[in-house]
Amino acid sequence: MKKLVIGCDHAAPELKAIVRDHLIARGFDVTDVGTHTTESCNYPDYAHALCKKIQSGECELGILICGTGIGMSMAANKHKGIRAACCSDTFSARLTRLHNDANVLCFGARVVGMGLALDLVDAFVDAPFEGGKHQKRVDMITAIENGERAD
Ligand code: RB5
């Protein structure tokens, strides 16, 4: 069973709960790192809490929701080994797993509605990384992250 982790800022506790419960109903093991209220908070705190769960191997995939999904994706992508994709269409949500081996999906509660949010997460969690030529390109991203590019 895939272990998932989900987090949000004050823009999305309600949508996060809906997405979390949907994934639990589908049989996934879901860790919720908060936030749980609409009290103003800082999205990098929740991106960081979620990314640590993936970096440690405790969880395989993560979902981050803020107002736009952009701040969460920027913060998440500053973490080693994290490939976060901000998506608001299901084609991109699926392809970022198939081709980019993305391990975090981000989207905006002020951008997508509940129906699309659930379709995005289903497209993301159900798609396997294809590997092959895509592995080489993901390795190139990792090399940039590790400062291994000499050019
Ligand atoms: C919070 O108001 C908002 O800035 C945040 O949720 C997010 O959209 C940032 O990218």
Side-chain angles (χ1 to χ4, degrees), residues 58-139:
E58 194 180 325
C59 298
E60 191 181 331
L61 298 175
I63 293 157
L64 284 169
I65 316 171
C66 61
T68 59
I70 297 171
M72 283 293 200
S73 60
M74 287 181 170
N77 277 320
K78 295 298 179 188
H79 292 78
K80 217 172 174 60
I82 298 298
R83 290 175 298 281
C86 183
C87 301
S88 50
D89 67 274
T90 54
F91 179 79
S92 299
R94 188 171 75 256
L95 265 288
T96 199
R97 285 286 308 129
L98 295 175
H99 289 187
N100 313 126
D101 199 15
N103 47 17
V104 178
L105 172 70
C106 306
F107 55 87
R110 297 169 184 159
V111 180
V112 306
M114 184 192 77
L116 179 52
L118 298 182
D119 282 354
L120 290 173
V121 300
D122 284 343
F124 184 75
V125 301
D126 290 339
F129 177 49
E130 282 180 351
K133 66 184 177 189
H134 302 295
Q135 182 63 60
K136 176 185 152 195
R137 294 164 186 162
V138 171
D139 290 345

Side-chain angles (χ1 to χ4, degrees), residues 31-52:
T31 300
D32 186 342
V33 295
T35 188
H36 303 290
T37 74
T38 54
E39 187 181 337
S40 184
C41 64
N42 301 309
Y43 58 81
D45 284 336
Y46 296 92
H48 184 58
L50 181 140
C51 289
K52 283 196 298 180

Side-chain angles (χ1 to χ4, degrees), residues 17-30:
I18 291 168
V19 171
R20 180 197 62 214
D21 294 349
H22 169 77
L23 291 168
I24 291 170
R26 281 199 52 192
F28 292 104
D29 180 335
V30 186

